Amino acid sequence: MTAPDTFDRLIQPRSIAVIGASSNAASVGGQALALLTEFSFHGGVYPVNPKYKTLKDRPCYPDVLSAPKPCDLALIAVSAPQVPAAIEQCGQAGIPFAVVLTAGFQELGKPGLKLQQELEASIDKSGVRVVGPNCIGLLNRKADIRCGFGATMASREAASSPGPLAMVTQSGGFGMSMAGLADDAGLGCSYIVSTGNETDVSALELLSYFLERPDIEAALAYIEGIHDGRQLLELGKKALRLGKPVLLWRVGDTPAGRKAAVSHTGRLTADETLFRLTVREGGFIPIDDVDDLVDVASLIHGGKRARGRRIGIVTLSGGAGVLMADLCERNDLEVSETSQDTLSRLKAHAPGNASLSNPMDVLSSAYYDDEYASYNRLIAEALSAPDFDQLIVRSPPIPNAPPWRWAEGFAAAVSASRKPVALLWGNGRRSREILDLFPRWSIPCFSSPRRAVRALAGWCDFSVKAERFSARSGPGPRPIEALPLPLPVGATSTLGERESKAVLASYGIRVLEGVLLGEAEIEALRSPPTAFPVAVKIESADIPHKTEAGAVRLGISDMTSLKAAAREVIAAARRFQPGARIDGLCIQPMLSGTELIAGAVSDEQYGPVVLIGLGGIFAEALGDVTHRLAPFDFAEARSMIEELRGRAVLDSFRGRLPSDVDAVTDTLHRLSWLISDHRERIVEIDINPLFVGAAGEGAIAADALVVLRKAPKAQP
Amino acid sequence: MTAPDTFDRLIQPRSIAVIGASSNAASVGGQALALLTEFSFHGGVYPVNPKYKTLKDRPCYPDVLSAPKPCDLALIAVSAPQVPAAIEQCGQAGIPFAVVLTAGFQELGKPGLKLQQELEASIDKSGVRVVGPNCIGLLNRKADIRCGFGATMASREAASSPGPLAMVTQSGGFGMSMAGLADDAGLGCSYIVSTGNETDVSALELLSYFLERPDIEAALAYIEGIHDGRQLLELGKKALRLGKPVLLWRVGDTPAGRKAAVSHTGRLTADETLFRLTVREGGFIPIDDVDDLVDVASLIHGGKRARGRRIGIVTLSGGAGVLMADLCERNDLEVSETSQDTLSRLKAHAPGNASLSNPMDVLSSAYYDDEYASYNRLIAEALSAPDFDQLIVRSPPIPNAPPWRWAEGFAAAVSASRKPVALLWGNGRRSREILDLFPRWSIPCFSSPRRAVRALAGWCDFSVKAERFSARSGPGPRPIEALPLPLPVGATSTLGERESKAVLASYGIRVLEGVLLGEAEIEALRSPPTAFPVAVKIESADIPHKTEAGAVRLGISDMTSLKAAAREVIAAARRFQPGARIDGLCIQPMLSGTELIAGAVSDEQYGPVVLIGLGGIFAEALGDVTHRLAPFDFAEARSMIEELRGRAVLDSFRGRLPSDVDAVTDTLHRLSWLISDHRERIVEIDINPLFVGAAGEGAIAADALVVLRKAPKAQP
């Protein structure tokens, strides 16, 4: 059979076979059958087990081939050695989906290896799409279909409060309990799938599917490891395109190590970095607590998107204003300045001594008499002001009993605006009734300022990314047309320094040209080929790390030293790698300026990436490096530099002139196109150091290393 | 009258005068009177206002002198210009305390200045201890005494749930609402004082008082600015000594700027740094959200203290275990290894396939039949194991209705142990009844893993500090006896490099000795006074920043260059500061090694402080510097180095040998005693750079600057 192109029949099966059904209520097969028969699933349920004639007053079938048709899903609960055969039978029976609850495969390590191989073979052969193994199943809470086992799935509330979320979780138990907490906040999940070992169907595939469902506003992922960077990248783009975020809770480390990289750049661009970069640039909202889930989901459910990062803070207490401003800044929301025009409009609704610049502290006492109606007028005015993209509002003291006129007026003001508003509740939880109103009005309400601001910031970040994604047609104008690489004939693997620099130069990146001379030519020299002081380096594609090889001498100031250095460098290179092909010695002028490193990697999974960092040992010791997926525009290149923690070394500093940041930006911009145009041919580019001079003096690659793919693919 | 030595009568007054009482229920004076007469205060209430004969069916007095005695407290609500006279009258009437609710003093800036001065004078003259002005008053919720005004103070619940906390807040409104949230968590405040402008009584004084009350377990401070570092330091020590933490929520920035410092060290040791350092080393738990307050307070209330940072994680879900381990590490709790002995004990209570190394994942299914009684046995075993100082336990699925046998068994296990245990609740909030049990059992219960771990970490940090504080008699053995400073006769202000180095050397810190020569002596030289390459620097106490003055030349390798450099340096120094006293030129060998900076400051308020950082422009650009209050022991000095973000530059790195970290530690240790012994004489010490060689090669101060106090105080 052929694989279906959606998962509709997986999550909404017409009939379900339970392979390994049992009369033992404590067994997995027994639980699975009970969950399907004791709740409200109305489709066909076909127990399969040769040991029984009937189970739960239904006919029990000896094998799945003898069960009725059509059957959309098989739950597999037989012992691990029997699983592969069961899957093959599903294929023969034309069942498109199976969920394998049984454990005992690759998660056991070596002892599970043989069965794992059989499992994989059976999936390939049968064409069945398989969820699991080693999972607790899936739950369609909208239709109350419970395919799985375990205490949480059997609980009274497991199918209550279906809502606009879908959850895909690599940890079944924890995922179920998160779903319960989302319910408490009135934001339930309609679908929950536990993916277990992900031998076939991956969490990313399912997330991608759920985003496309019209009944889903956001997907939630609890992830312990991601194996397919490309799929993650595509999911991130889809989320932006559809305007539906993936709330991503990731724990643990990426299990997949990365091959030891040839260049420095390679080492700084490990899987973990690429993962984070992809999450940051795609339609993901990273969360790391159940609180985050509930909080961000309540904002998504409000349905309003911020168009920028500017936030207005409205409060009746100066103290709350200060602390919220602190929090907003820490979370990259901009506590924006208020225009004169807006200030004068706000003034009409505030007491004379109110402080109306942002954060707006309008003094509780002034509104004491009118149940804060004018506070609501002020809020409405702030919402309509062009100065703010979103608002956070602190509640006034609220009476203990209805009528809650302030709350009603506030809800009216909020619903009249398209901007997100978070309410910061300051009245304790005693008046439960009123607290229950806000979710009904789709007003996100928080008692913790930190949670309010974090959630606003996460949602704002997604909204701004989605807006930019839909506005943008591409990565902006090229700095240069795509050009063929000036490669030596038959070049493979690592290029020498001069060859590497030629590649950079072909895309307009400034490189420090040296003079290449043979050993004998240097011995015969009478004057330096370039003004002293100079550097002498080995030129050999076989020795990519010249410093490690001891094949570099710096700061040479006279002819005697130069000749001695040349001899030493050659000797060191020969010692370091006997038989290395040596093309000669490169003599370069010594440069000054601030030392940076720049580089690019074309990752098999994530594609082309560019990085910039502080140079020397500090890049490595402090990890002060920023990355971007390539290609990108000039502004994006600039933002990479601005994000460096040690950014200040490029400013006017201790009497030095400010550095030529424009030139560094231009270098990164060009590098991003170079690696993008030639991603199939180039694996890594390493510029170390990149010297940057004072403004106007430019940036120049003093050393460079280009690593090619050993077996070049065809150009796309 | 003389000031009382406790605030007992302030928070528990026998009688209260309301100066500026009014029949207008909306006015501050009207509200203050109503709050005292309409709730359950049983002492005397004496309205004072010449306009009325009676108010609220009580005699109203024309002035406070005519009111009955004894009277412990006056609430002052008259207009700002009348406040100083009212305070003076309180003094004459023998009233020890006043709370000034009126605003309109220094918070107005310049327009309030005159009244502020009158206010201060009246306080000095009267001897009355004054809270405020510009505050909302104070609340003794134990006795339901409401001294103040505003909607929150009048609310039904303002006096409910007094508990083991006392709150001092610089923001009245926000403080009151925080108190309400603490109530919701069953951890109410017994006393709340809003301190307003703090013209007299400071938040720190009140906090110090509350810590000493036997009915208080912890104090809570909401602080916008601290003006007295010394008091903060003392409060931090008292909190450690008494084992009662101050939960410190600080917002905004310190308003007080610090004088432009002479040295680099001075610039890196601003008020903000010293504030943080003091908080970190004292008995404070920094919080920055209402959630933190509630969470940490619930642990404090549990009454159990961790003796170290090791935490055991017990869970029935692998996913939860991984994420909690992540969280613990991020919060400096140690997910410790489990000993073989403990592992074998745990084994008796777990299914065979459970993973018993920490985090312990013991698989829900195995306990399905016995209502998780053996899960409780496992927890009790883990609690009695010497491997863990505290535990975090994830709840199993709990039935929807009683009996909750698991919960009862868990509570029994927890109460039998002296270690803190946090329960991570995974069952949603539907079973409210059971959730209400945990606080009654004093078991801190969380649904958010992040909140659970943050709270455990905060409380653990305090507990460990308090334990260490009580174990420690002093800062450990001295590296050297206290010695007089080898100062030139009449030395004031900035010392020259050689004089500065002599001070360091007197405490056993290695310094790079140079040769001091006059201009003419250098011209006459025939060979270098120290082997090439050398550095030439100006020697002048008037030019502390030699590099800025252009009065340093590095890397000189021959006699001609040396003489030229000497002439240039002299000329540059004369240009930079005409008239500077020049003692000659210092010629030093060039050093290699890793460049650090070290320094010390004797702050007027916080006392002696030592710092270490990465050298060169990186120290400044990256701010990679750590500080400690001095003096300290060798281990503490070592921990300063370990905390550097760029710590890795001292490791074996890119083929370099590991640096001599012991020597740097020794330098810091000595520096801490030098600055402590001579805190009255030395303002700042700056070692920049401090070169550190490979292990065994030592650390050496290549340049140094000591700044003396201009008018030296008497030695203590």
Side-chain angles (χ1 to χ4, degrees), chain A residues 278-290:
Chain A
T278 305
V279 168
R280 178 182 151 158
E281 297 197 7
F284 300 95
I285 302 179
I287 63 173
D288 63 4
D289 200 82
V290 288

Side-chain angles (χ1 to χ4, degrees), chain A residues 25-26 31 149-152 154-157 160-161 171 173-174 176-178 180-181 183-185 222 224 249-253 264 267 287-292 295 317-320 322-323 326-327 330 364-365 368-369 372 394 397 400 424-432 447-451 454 548 594-595 597 614-622 624 645-649 653-654 656 688, chain B residues 25-26 31 149-152 154-157 160-161 171 173-174 176-178 180-181 183-185 222 224 249-253 264 267 287-292 295 317-320 322-323 326-327 330 364-365 368-369 372 394 397 400 424-432 447-451 454 548 594-595 597 614-622 624 645-649 653-654 656 688:
Chain A
Q31 288 181 54
F149 72 106
T152 46
S155 73
R156 208 167 43 186
E157 57 251 34
S160 57
S161 324
S171 165
F174 198 74
M176 289 300 295
S177 100
M178 279 211 297
L181 290 155
D183 290 348
D184 287 340
Y222 183 88
E224 292 173 359
W249 188 346
R250 176 167 163 273
V251 296
D253 296 312
H264 192 71
R267 287 198 300 279
I287 63 173
D288 63 4
D289 200 82
V290 288
D291 285 349
D292 293 341
D295 297 345
S317 141
V322 174
L323 89 90
D326 280 359
L327 279 168
R330 243 178 281 152
S364 158
S365 49
Y368 200 59
D369 288 335
Y372 299 94
R394 188 139 190 286
N400 292 318
L424 186 60
W425 187 247
N427 295 282
R429 293 210 212 116
R430 290 226 168 59
S431 319
R432 293 230 134 250
S447 59
S448 145
R450 187 169 59 208
R451 287 176 62 172
R454 277 178 67 105
E548 263 177 38
T594 301
E595 224 178 296
I597 70 163
L614 294 188
I617 57 169
F618 292 95
E620 219 159 323
L622 297 169
D624 192 9
R645 283 202 309 254
R647 167 73 183 78
V649 300
F653 196 73
R654 286 220 187 168
R656 292 188 340 195
N688 184 7
Chain B
Q31 288 181 55
F149 71 106
T152 45
S155 74
R156 208 167 43 185
E157 58 250 33
S160 57
S161 323
S171 165
F174 199 74
M176 289 299 295
S177 101
M178 278 212 296
L181 289 155
D183 289 349
D184 287 339
Y222 183 87
E224 291 172 0
W249 188 345
R250 174 164 165 274
V251 297
D253 295 312
H264 192 71
R267 287 197 299 280
I287 63 173
D288 64 3
D289 200 82
V290 289
D291 286 349
D292 294 339
D295 298 345
S317 140
V322 173
L323 89 90
D326 279 359
L327 277 168
R330 244 178 280 152
S364 157
S365 50
Y368 199 58
D369 289 334
Y372 298 95
R394 188 137 192 285
N400 292 317
L424 185 61
W425 187 247
N427 296 282
R429 294 211 212 114
R430 289 221 171 63
S431 319
R432 292 232 132 251
S447 59
S448 146
R450 186 168 58 207
R451 287 176 63 172
R454 278 177 66 105
E548 263 177 39
T594 300
E595 224 178 297
I597 70 163
L614 294 188
I617 57 170
F618 292 95
E620 219 159 324
L622 297 169
D624 192 10
R645 282 201 311 254
R647 167 73 184 78
V649 300
F653 197 73
R654 285 219 188 171
R656 292 187 340 194
N688 184 4

Side-chain angles (χ1 to χ4, degrees), chain A residues 91 100 128 134 140 152 240 260 280 298 321-322 358 368 396 419 468 488-489 574 583 593 637 673:
Chain A
V100 180
V128 177
N134 187 26
N140 176 338
T152 46
L240 291 179
R280 178 182 151 158
S298 76
V322 174
N358 198 11
Y368 200 59
K419 296 178 184 171
R468 208 170 49 190
V489 179
R574 293 222 169 100
D583 297 332
W673 285 95

Side-chain angles (χ1 to χ4, degrees), chain A residues 559-603:
Chain A
M559 287 306 298
T560 318
S561 310
L562 175 58
K563 290 178 185 181
R567 285 188 292 267
E568 286 163 28
V569 161
I570 293 269
R574 293 222 169 100
R575 254 196 322 278
F576 186 78
Q577 187 155 331
R581 198 192 82 187
I582 292 174
D583 297 332
L585 291 154
C586 181
I587 298 173
Q588 291 176 355
M590 292 293 292
L591 285 185
S592 63
T594 301
E595 224 178 296
L596 303 175
I597 70 163
V601 159
S602 166
D603 188 81

Side-chain angles (χ1 to χ4, degrees), chain B residues 314-317 343-357 360-370 372-379:
Chain B
V314 190
T315 166
L316 296 158
S317 140
L343 282 176
S344 60
R345 283 166 196 273
L346 293 172
K347 221 167 204 170
H349 313 290
N353 49 352
S355 163
L356 288 174
S357 58
M360 296 160 254
D361 171 13
V362 291
L363 306 170
S364 157
S365 50
Y367 296 130
Y368 199 58
D369 289 334
D370 66 353
Y372 298 95
S374 56
Y375 189 46
N376 281 335
R377 287 192 289 273
L378 181 94
I379 291 163

Side-chain angles (χ1 to χ4, degrees), chain B residues 514-592:
Chain B
V515 179
L516 182 66
L517 297 171
E519 211 176 345
E521 288 173 295
I522 291 181
E523 288 296 346
L525 280 178
R526 308 204 138 243
S527 63
T530 178
F532 285 127
V534 298
V536 176
K537 306 174 180 180
I538 202 75
E539 177 75 25
S540 166
D542 295 336
I543 304 177
H545 296 299
K546 297 184 276 285
T547 304
E548 263 177 39
V552 175
R553 290 291 180 283
L554 302 175
I556 296 161
S557 296
D558 58 70
M559 286 307 297
T560 319
S561 309
L562 175 58
K563 292 178 184 184
R567 287 188 292 268
E568 286 164 27
V569 161
I570 294 270
R574 293 217 169 103
R575 255 196 322 277
F576 186 77
Q577 189 157 327
R581 200 191 82 186
I582 292 173
D583 297 332
L585 291 154
C586 182
I587 298 173
Q588 292 175 355
M590 292 293 293
L591 286 184
S592 64

